[in-house]
Amino acid sequence: MKKLLFTLASAVMLLSCGDDQKKDLSAQFDELQKQHDSIEQMHSNFKSTHSAMSQRHDEFKAELAGMTVEDSTMLADVAKHEVLLKKHEAMLEGHDELFAAHKDLKQGFGEKSSVEMKAQIEEMKKTHDQLKTEHSKMEEEHQMMEQEHDEIVKKMLAEDVEPEVEE
């Protein structure tokens, strides 16, 4: 009889601890969702910035196409910028997919076991870190491209690059 009472008491304690643990994990998940929303807003803002920069790049490339450029480093920089912008587009599309996947994770979170909840939270944290790191790197590369673009324009003005004239 003592064993039965002990087993029942142990089961009740485990269940109550499990409920507390699930409440704690749900609170952690809610906090992660707030971070996720913030990161998603940052992502949306960066997509707008990226789109504007891509448009400026295309316009600048079109301008250069009609000019005689003697400094090949200018053309190399423009080509490098194009590669970076395409890489950023691919990364941003991947981020969009991650955001969509995270929204799917919300559904039924409270119904998962504690182990599943912990695993999901850990993966979300890793993903958030990855997103923040990649956004930071893209922002740095955008700043670098803007500086190099300004330098190219200064070189062009200094060299007084003329439009090509067809004869």
Side-chain angles (χ1 to χ4, degrees), residues 67-96:
M67 298 179 175
T68 303
V69 180
E70 294 176 16
D71 185 352
S72 62
T73 60
M74 284 189 247
L75 297 176
D77 284 344
V78 171
K80 177 178 72 173
H81 296 176
E82 188 155 357
V83 170
L84 284 172
L85 290 168
K86 292 292 181 193
K87 180 180 90 171
H88 291 180
E89 284 175 27
M91 289 172 78
L92 291 169
E93 287 174 13
H95 291 184
D96 285 336

Side-chain angles (χ1 to χ4, degrees), residues 35 39 42 127-137:
Q35 290 176 13
I39 293 169
M42 177 180 71
T127 301
H128 285 180
D129 289 343
Q130 173 192 349
L131 290 169
K132 288 189 257 184
T133 299
E134 289 176 357
H135 271 219
S136 178
K137 176 134 178 76

Side-chain angles (χ1 to χ4, degrees), residues 139-150:
E139 286 174 356
E140 289 172 12
E141 289 174 343
H142 268 226
Q143 289 172 355
M144 176 271 303
M145 286 187 280
E146 287 176 1
Q147 288 173 340
E148 288 182 359
H149 180 266
D150 290 346

Side-chain angles (χ1 to χ4, degrees), residues 8 12 20 24 30 34 45 54 59-60 68 70 81 84 89 99 122 129-130 135 141 144 151:
L8 285 174
V12 169
D20 288 345
D24 181 50
D30 291 342
K34 289 177 189 173
N45 292 343
S54 292
E59 291 167 359
F60 184 68
T68 303
E70 294 176 16
H81 296 176
L84 284 172
E89 284 175 27
F99 288 121
E122 288 307 311
D129 289 343
Q130 173 192 349
H135 271 219
E141 289 174 343
M144 176 271 303
E151 290 170 14

Side-chain angles (χ1 to χ4, degrees), residues 44-60:
S44 178
N45 292 343
F46 186 78
K47 279 178 68 171
S48 295
T49 300
H50 176 77
S51 178
M53 181 163 225
S54 292
Q55 184 177 349
R56 282 193 315 260
H57 175 78
D58 290 343
E59 291 167 359
F60 184 68

